Amino acid sequence: MTIGRDAQNGTAGQTRRRLIVGLTGASGIVYGLECLRALRAAGVETHLVMSKAAEMTLAYETDLKAKDVRDLADCAYAIGDVGAPCSSGSFPTDGMIVAPCSMKTLAEIATGVTSNLLSRSADVVLKERRRLVLLTRETPLTQVHLQNMLTVTQMGGIVAPPVPAFYAKPESLDDMVAHTVGRALDLFGIDTGGVKRWKADGAAAG
């Protein structure tokens, strides 16, 4: 287990918002990076679980190292550390976001086969009736993918593929990523300030 700068044990008196962030090997590691940065700016305590495949994708898609990602979180845990705080329902959190979420991780969550800390943490979030948001990345989708999405939804999770909102008139890829992450964090009641809201007259608000 790797502990970050503000690590603390969960207590009944804990008031700072706390979110588990999972990063898998699906393409789109930038979503997880933006999520960590946005949560830090919002003052939310983050507990990071990054798979080995995510570290491979990080190397393919960015110039960052795994340590750079871990440094964005308050706490970071090894994928095999099933004894980490977030593996227990007694550890209070506001829930978990997996960004991006691979079809393998989706399948583990849907079936309850929790082979590592990431899927175990998601399973705990569901059993404790907390908010679970999965930014699933794959296309085209097979029947198995769709069935797993339905199963997770029926269990109370939210499947939120990172689909760009063109009504926001993004000027760059960074704009599109920030808007997608902002909308995902909206589901936890966290306003990142990076979302262009839809107005009644059909124009996107700044």
Side-chain angles (χ1 to χ4, degrees), residues 31 161-170 172-173 175-177 179-181 183:
Y31 292 111
V163 178
F166 291 102
Y167 67 80
K169 298 181 179 179
S172 67
L173 183 59
D175 287 347
M176 297 169 72
V177 170
H179 188 277
T180 296
V181 168
R183 289 291 290 117

Side-chain angles (χ1 to χ4, degrees), residues 189-206:
I190 299 170
D191 187 350
T192 64
V195 176
K196 290 186 177 180
R197 308 288 177 182
W198 184 261
K199 295 196 301 184
D201 62 4

Side-chain angles (χ1 to χ4, degrees), residues 108-130:
E108 289 198 4
I109 296 169
T111 58
V113 180
T114 56
S115 65
N116 56 51
L117 179 61
L118 201 159
S119 53
R120 168 59 185 172
S121 297
D123 191 60
V124 166
V125 166
L126 287 175
K127 80 180 183 68
E128 297 294 328
R129 305 302 191 267
R130 297 168 186 163

